[in-house]
Amino acid sequence: MTQPIKLISPAHGAIYAERMPLSQTEAAAAVARARKAQKAWAARPLAERIALVKAGVDQLLTRKDALVEELAHQMGRPTRYGGEFGGVVDRTNYMADIAAEELAPKMVEDSDTFRRYLAREPVGVVFIVAPWNYPYLTTINTLAPALIAGNSVMLKHASQTLLVGERLAEAFHEAGIPEEVFQNVVLDHATTEHLIADRAFNFVNFTGSVAGGIAMEKAAAGTFTGLGLELGGKDPGYVRADADLDAAVDGLMDGAMFNAGQCCCGIERIYVHESLFDAFVEKAVDWANGLTLGNPFDPETTLGPMANKRFAAVVRGQVDEAIAAGAIALIDPARFPSDDGGAYLAPQILINVDHSMRVMKEESFGPVVGIMKVSGDDEAVSLMNDSPYGLTCSIWTSDTEAAAAIGARVETGTVFMNRCDYLDPALCWTGCKDTGRGGSLSYLGFLSVTRPKSYHLKKAPK
């Protein structure tokens, strides 16, 4: 018997929402509606599609205050931070602004004899499987360019943020985007894998775990369905001897702890030049002790619960193992009485760590960071690359050329200097190694949701 998908709020531990997943028959019918509607949507003028997508975002913003409260219920982010809607607007506007140029045919020749050009066409039906940690931002990265390019879109949101897909669909439908063109669907894993294996979609964008990405690839095997996979990270920060120490502490600790450490490109390990190590650690401890762990609806709270108590259990396990292996924990959990052994988890800083410990090698996705001393650039690069992941790295230095040279040696998708945990919509969001494949945002973001089509037209003699 099919079971409802339940959303347990980390704020209070009770069921906040539940929905019944579609059956395979119902899901197949939804795909058929999407495919049927796509041609008419693609036939609309590009300017009209852009205007409707931007209007959908505008409709979303009219609900902002309610959505911020709803997000705190669903995944625990403190309401004081106001959600993630500034980024939604910025990314949508950037992709809209470059669409006409990037989707226009590229003329090779237009002479008396030939007209030769490259065009781009929508792939058809795009399937987005979105995560819970930044549920609006991660969705819009693919949703906006996919719709603008003329595709229909089906969105399956994470069970922890079940209501986000509904809110996006409500807003975009009220703006005038047809219901069949953008559908929010609730699916279980079996139906999701069946649809992919059945060639239901022309492109699948998945953000989640490595295990989830493997399941997507297995489901798509032999179908030739395009896949975009962002599967996590263990993003490093490196503080060189010439870094602005206070700026590095503030930037890297915020990158490690914001959103309870539940950021795709959050800082999970820090390497500090030996000349700054002691001072950096002292200031980092003061920074972390200044956090307030508590109810996400309290305006004083700066660190909310993790999205699920099982996620917090993973972090506790990594910390306990590291301490048992010789790591030193610098934050006293007693300073954070809201740490309840469940979803509410005190921040932690670990020193005397090494890469034999899970907390320095496996994704933590929580408010913990290990800090290691390094002798210089070569050791830092070696340690940064000693990871199965490659999403971002963050280099803190006063030397731009050195940062670029170090970044060229790091196996990663994005190199930051003197900042971290940020997406620039003009730059491609991408990763390497077990972080996945493909890319979104920038002009490259249109490539995965369109396909090239070549025209070689030989003109008749006059």
Side-chain angles (χ1 to χ4, degrees):
M1 179 180 295
T2 302
Q3 298 295 317
I5 295 175
K6 298 181 180 181
L7 190 173
I8 307 297
S9 171
H12 45 70
I15 296 174
Y16 184 65
E18 58 182 295
R19 298 288 187 270
M20 289 299 297
L22 298 179
S23 67
Q24 288 191 6
T25 300
E26 292 168 330
V31 172
R33 292 194 297 272
R35 195 162 297 283
K36 182 178 180 181
Q38 185 267 324
K39 295 295 185 184
W41 173 249
R44 294 195 187 195
L46 174 61
E48 183 179 326
R49 297 197 303 268
I50 290 172
L52 286 170
V53 169
K54 294 177 75 171
V57 171
D58 289 342
Q59 283 290 336
L60 194 68
L61 294 180
T62 66
R63 302 159 162 81
K64 177 181 175 181
D65 291 343
L67 297 182
V68 168
E69 294 280 327
E70 198 171 73
L71 273 177
H73 279 293
Q74 292 180 88
M75 49 75 67
R77 185 184 303 132
T79 55
R80 66 178 286 156
Y81 296 118
E84 51 204 56
F85 300 102
V88 168
V89 173
D90 290 345
R91 297 176 194 187
T92 301
N93 286 346
Y94 183 81
M95 298 307 290
D97 289 346
I98 67 171
E101 179 179 354
E102 299 306 328
L103 296 174
K106 308 300 186 210
M107 191 65 66
V108 176
E109 177 185 1
D110 192 9
S111 66
D112 292 340
T113 307
F114 294 105
R115 179 179 299 167
R116 299 181 294 133
Y117 60 96
L118 289 166
R120 299 207 69 87
E121 292 189 346
V123 293
V125 180
V126 171
F127 184 44
I128 301 173
V129 184
W132 50 263
N133 63 323
Y134 283 91
Y136 288 98
L137 280 174
T138 51
T139 300
I140 210 70
N141 289 350
T142 303
L143 177 62
L147 289 174
I148 287 170
N151 300 282
S152 57
V153 175
M154 296 183 68
L155 169 64
K156 173 195 177 300
H157 230 294
S159 59
Q160 196 64 49
T161 42
L162 270 178
L163 302 183
V164 169
E166 294 179 12
R167 301 297 174 254
L168 281 163
E170 290 166 2
F172 278 54
H173 296 161
E174 287 185 22
I177 293 177
E179 293 184 8
E180 296 80 9
V181 169
F182 174 33
Q183 299 180 64
N184 174 64
V185 291
V186 179
L187 304 172
D188 59 23
H189 293 320
T191 300
T192 299
E193 292 173 10
H194 172 79
L195 289 172
I196 295 172
D198 201 39
R199 301 175 185 252
F201 311 112
N202 301 99
F203 177 70
V204 177
N205 187 85
F206 171 77
T207 304
S209 67
V210 172
I214 291 172
M216 292 286 172
E217 284 203 324
K218 286 182 177 178
T223 68
F224 307 113
T225 300
L227 294 177
L229 305 171
E230 194 224 295
L231 309 177
K234 193 71 181 174
D235 290 8
Y238 169 40
V239 183
R240 297 184 82 230
D242 64 345
D244 180 323
L245 182 61
D246 289 334
V249 170
D250 189 58
L252 289 171
M253 290 307 297
D254 184 64
M257 300 297 170
F258 187 76
N259 205 37
Q262 300 167 130
C263 303
C264 297
C265 56
I267 295 297
E268 297 213 353
R269 49 199 174 107
I270 300 174
Y271 307 100
V272 182
H273 189 271
E274 56 193 6
S275 65
L276 297 180
F277 182 80
D278 290 341
F280 183 95
V281 169
E282 181 180 357
K283 288 175 178 289
V285 169
D286 289 342
W287 193 101
N289 280 330
L291 293 169
T292 299
L293 174 67
N295 189 310
F297 302 100
D298 185 336
E300 299 302 314
T301 294
T302 55
L303 183 67
M306 293 190 67
N308 192 292
K309 63 182 182 181
R310 74 177 186 275
F311 304 151
V314 170
V315 179
R316 287 190 177 94
Q318 289 183 350
V319 170
D320 290 346
E321 287 179 19
I323 293 172
I328 300 171
L330 300 180
I331 305 299
D332 181 1
R335 294 178 62 98
F336 298 86
S338 295
D339 187 330
D340 62 356
Y344 287 85
L345 175 63
Q348 190 53 269
I349 295 172
L350 299 172
I351 59 171
N352 202 32
V353 289
D354 61 51
H355 280 214
S356 70
M357 301 172 182
R358 282 201 303 143
V359 76
M360 295 299 287
K361 292 294 291 266
E362 297 182 10
E363 188 169 38
S364 300
F365 221 61
V368 60
V369 65
I371 307 177
M372 291 179 63
K373 183 187 300 183
V374 294
S375 59
D377 295 347
D378 289 345
E379 185 179 9
V381 169
S382 177
L383 289 168
M384 285 191 281
N385 284 338
D386 184 27
S387 171
Y389 297 106
L391 185 55
T392 79
C393 73
S394 177
I395 302 166
W396 293 76
T397 178
S398 59
D399 188 335
T400 303
E401 297 307 317
I406 293 166
R409 298 168 61 193
V410 179
E411 297 159 353
T412 190
T414 296
V415 177
F416 292 115
M417 172 181 162
N418 297 338
R419 78 177 312 170
C420 57
D421 194 17
Y422 172 75
L423 271 73
D424 181 343
L427 299 178
C428 185
W429 189 241
T430 187
C432 60
K433 301 194 284 190
D434 283 1
T435 289
R437 67 180 190 186
S440 61
L441 299 178
S442 79
Y443 75 94
L444 296 171
F446 281 115
L447 299 187
S448 60
V449 295
T450 60
R451 68 177 183 88
K453 190 171 186 177
S454 295
Y455 288 82
H456 188 113
L457 310 179
K458 183 178 181 181
K459 298 179 180 180
K462 292 182 180 179

